[in-house]
Amino acid sequence: MSVANIDHFIAGRLSAGTSGRTQDVTHPASGRVTGKVALGGVEEVNAAVAAAQAAFPAWADTPPIRRARVMFKFLELLGRHRDELAHLITAEHGKVFTDAQGEVTRGIEIVEFACGIPQLLKGDYTEQVSTGIDNWTMRQPLGVVAGITPFNFPVMVPMWMFPVAIAAGNCFVLKPSPLDPSPSLRMAELLKEAGLPDGVFSVVQGDKSAVDALLAHPGVQAVSFVGSTPIANYIYETGAHHGKRVQALGGAKNHMVVMPDADLEQAVDALIGSAYGSAGERCMAISVAVLVGEAADRIVPKLAERARTLKVLDGENLAAEMGPIVTRAAHARICGYIEQGVREGAQMLVDGRGFDGNLAGDGCADGFWLGGTLFDHVTPEMRIYKEEIFGPVLACVRVPDLKAAVDLINAHEFGNGVACFTRDGHVAREFSRRIQVGMVGINVPIPVPMAWHGFGGWKRSLFGDMHAYGEEGVRFYTKQKSIMQRWPESIGKGAEFVMPTAK
């Protein structure tokens, strides 16, 4: 099998860069190396930012409706190439093809939102704030902005950022994960085909060297990031130190509360799909089932049965429910957590470590395979409860009542997503109001907000003040300017030495 060279995309064209450093890209289902991605550094970032700075004046002056037309064309091309992008995701990330299709679709929804940018950039106007004086506000782009995105959503997460930023008049430099870099290049090509001017969108492949170069570059005005909490904290502190606006989304430990009155079959379906979908490699995965009262003994056997019979297959197989882990290193890390759970005394009901890759499909024997893993009687002191595993491991914690469930969740350092399954409207209302988590689902296991609402957690799941996409995304990628105006005929004679007031 040939090994492809995966380059940068700078100033409207592919570029191998000058660093000479590369990293292997693997096919997780087979374990084969399929590509070598260039790893950029200071020189590649400088080139991308310079191209963006050159393109910015004309792009910022382009009327918002014309920028929106480029987004509309990009939207059309995304619809045409949706499955192509999904296949690229499956090939380099490993998630099942239908899940990859869903990822692309959720990204497309952000583009649809960005197509309405003329409405979203409207300011406010007040006539006659004082005699002969009118006051209005406008929103203007920041300049060159950057996005640093994770491996688990190589299409959707970048599209949380760049469609809104570009539609608002900014130029964007994307630094995707080197684990699955190809989708970013395909999106760059589609943007160019849609009519986006060269330099407005660039892709710098790379690792920490590229990240640090973006954080330090004086031409980069703002940085968006999605990834683990330690790195989010680093991005936030370093970016702020260099005077940048920063939006850094961190890790998660998402809980799903199952009340005794819940529809248990629905709750089982929700837990299985949200815990093991995408092999648990998503920041909105449910990794803790909080089982209230008698719900525990009724639901745990059902969860164990379903976890044992998960269809773990090559992601290109349309029957697959779960694919491989993204890399061998990630596989080893997850297995380490499973062993830690056993040592700490959690009751292992299903152990996914013995999964045979030969069962996943032809050529899969050397892939990075795990089955679903299920623990019961997990306690808050255990590492498998406290830390983000980012794999197909579900921990069941038993509590006596709703108050104990809420207290448990509120005590956790993360506050990204949470769900509660119940038929009781009062329980649902109290849970929604009392829980200290940014995104809440009632009988919805993965409450990812729609494009016009915005995504973001609380506590150590978000560093910065503004959530991704939605109206807060527009505010993040623009700055407000206030203008007060009057004409000579309304100006009285004589200097005024006091603070201006309405007259």
Side-chain angles (χ1 to χ4, degrees):
M1 188 174 184
S2 62
V3 175
N5 291 321
I6 303 168
D7 294 330
H8 315 285
F9 188 92
I10 298 173
R13 62 189 64 85
L14 292 172
S15 168
T18 61
S19 75
R21 297 187 305 123
T22 63
Q23 178 175 315
D24 288 346
V25 177
T26 56
H27 181 252
S30 66
R32 297 191 307 269
V33 174
T34 57
K36 287 191 176 295
V37 59
L39 297 178
V42 172
E43 291 189 12
E44 288 79 9
V45 166
N46 286 347
V49 174
Q53 289 175 317
F56 174 68
W59 183 243
D61 276 347
T62 300
I65 189 64
R66 287 173 51 198
R67 298 198 297 257
R69 287 169 187 157
V70 174
M71 286 293 109
F72 272 111
K73 181 62 177 178
F74 181 52
L75 179 64
E76 175 195 340
L77 293 170
L78 286 171
R80 197 183 307 165
H81 294 276
R82 185 182 76 142
D83 286 355
E84 177 191 351
L85 286 167
H87 282 299
L88 288 174
I89 295 168
T90 297
E92 293 182 351
H93 174 277
K95 70 176 65 175
V96 302
F97 178 67
T98 51
D99 189 23
Q101 287 177 309
E103 172 185 340
V104 178
T105 298
R106 289 306 298 261
I108 286 173
E109 290 169 356
I110 310 298
V111 181
E112 291 172 334
F113 172 78
C115 286
I117 202 67
Q119 167 70 17
L120 300 169
L121 293 179
K122 287 197 311 184
D124 297 316
Y125 182 89
T126 304
E127 180 187 24
Q128 199 75 349
V129 294
S130 186
T131 303
I133 300 178
D134 304 324
N135 188 191
W136 70 90
T137 61
M138 62 175 67
R139 303 208 70 87
Q140 294 185 314
L142 303 178
V144 181
V145 298
I148 302 165
T149 57
F151 74 86
N152 57 329
F153 288 99
V155 168
M156 183 184 74
V157 170
M159 285 205 280
W160 286 359
M161 304 172 184
F162 73 77
V164 176
I166 289 172
N170 299 282
C171 294
F172 196 94
V173 179
L174 172 63
K175 204 299 290 181
S177 169
L179 301 183
D180 41 17
S182 296
S184 59
L185 296 183
R186 192 69 186 106
M187 290 189 290
E189 292 169 349
L190 294 177
L191 282 166
K192 184 178 177 72
E193 186 178 344
L196 192 70
D198 292 347
V200 175
F201 180 79
S202 290
V203 177
V204 175
Q205 312 284 7
D207 52 12
K208 188 175 184 295
S209 295
V211 170
D212 286 342
L214 285 168
L215 292 174
H217 199 297
V220 175
Q221 303 302 313
V223 175
S224 298
F225 171 82
V226 175
S228 70
T229 284
I231 306 303
N233 197 1
Y234 171 79
I235 296 288
Y236 181 72
E237 291 180 351
T238 308
H241 173 75
H242 288 285
K244 303 186 192 312
R245 185 179 291 189
V246 182
Q247 169 193 73
L249 282 66
K253 196 71 178 179
N254 304 316
H255 301 68
M256 182 176 133
V257 176
V258 181
M259 298 297 294
D261 70 324
D263 184 311
L264 288 191
E265 295 303 322
Q266 290 180 355
V268 169
D269 285 343
L271 283 168
I272 292 295
S274 58
Y276 302 122
S278 198
E281 295 174 320
R282 52 190 177 198
C283 65
M284 290 297 285
I286 295 294
S287 53
V288 180
V290 183
L291 309 177
V292 178
E294 65 183 27
D297 287 337
R298 294 163 55 204
I299 200 171
V300 166
K302 296 176 183 290
L303 288 172
E305 179 184 358
R306 291 286 296 279
R308 291 189 190 100
T309 58
L310 278 171
K311 296 176 182 176
V312 184
L313 300 165
D314 184 340
E316 292 290 349
N317 187 329
L318 295 182
E321 295 174 332
M322 191 174 94
I325 304 303
V326 66
T327 63
R328 196 176 305 278
H331 183 280
R333 177 181 51 78
I334 297 165
C335 288
Y337 272 107
I338 296 172
E339 178 59 33
Q340 179 73 22
V342 173
R343 287 199 304 269
E344 290 180 326
Q347 181 184 357
M348 177 179 282
L349 301 180
V350 184
D351 186 351
R353 291 174 295 177
F355 184 83
D356 183 358
N358 287 299
L359 301 175
D362 293 339
C364 292
D366 296 325
F368 316 130
W369 295 98
L370 271 178
T373 296
L374 179 66
F375 284 104
D376 193 10
H377 297 287
V378 174
T379 62
E381 297 77 27
M382 296 178 181
R383 282 184 60 196
I384 61 169
Y385 172 77
K386 293 189 292 186
E387 299 178 14
E388 185 176 35
I389 298 174
F390 224 65
V393 181
L394 178 61
C396 295
V397 179
R398 298 174 179 234
V399 297
D401 52 34
L402 177 64
K403 182 180 185 304
V406 171
D407 289 345
L408 175 82
I409 297 166
N410 286 350
H412 205 285
E413 67 172 324
F414 296 130
N416 205 47
V418 71
C420 179
F421 271 60
T422 181
R423 298 175 186 270
D424 189 317
H426 176 71
V427 167
R429 184 176 187 272
E430 284 300 295
F431 182 83
S432 299
R433 294 185 66 238
R434 305 297 177 190
I435 208 71
Q436 295 172 18
V437 176
M439 293 172 283
V440 182
I442 302 299
N443 301 315
V444 176
I446 303 180
V448 178
M450 298 304 293
W452 50 94
H453 281 293
F455 181 102
W458 287 9
K459 297 188 281 190
R460 288 182 60 79
S461 293
L462 175 68
F463 297 83
D465 299 320
M466 297 184 189
H467 290 183
Y469 64 83
E471 292 187 5
E472 286 204 11
V474 176
R475 285 192 286 271
F476 179 78
Y477 290 119
T478 58
K479 51 194 173 186
Q480 178 178 291
K481 179 181 289 181
S482 176
I483 300 166
M484 298 189 75
Q485 174 179 280
R486 66 181 177 183
W487 299 103
E489 289 78 7
S490 63
I491 301 175
K493 292 183 178 181
E496 294 185 4
F497 296 96
V498 300
M499 185 70 184
T501 58
K503 298 178 181 178

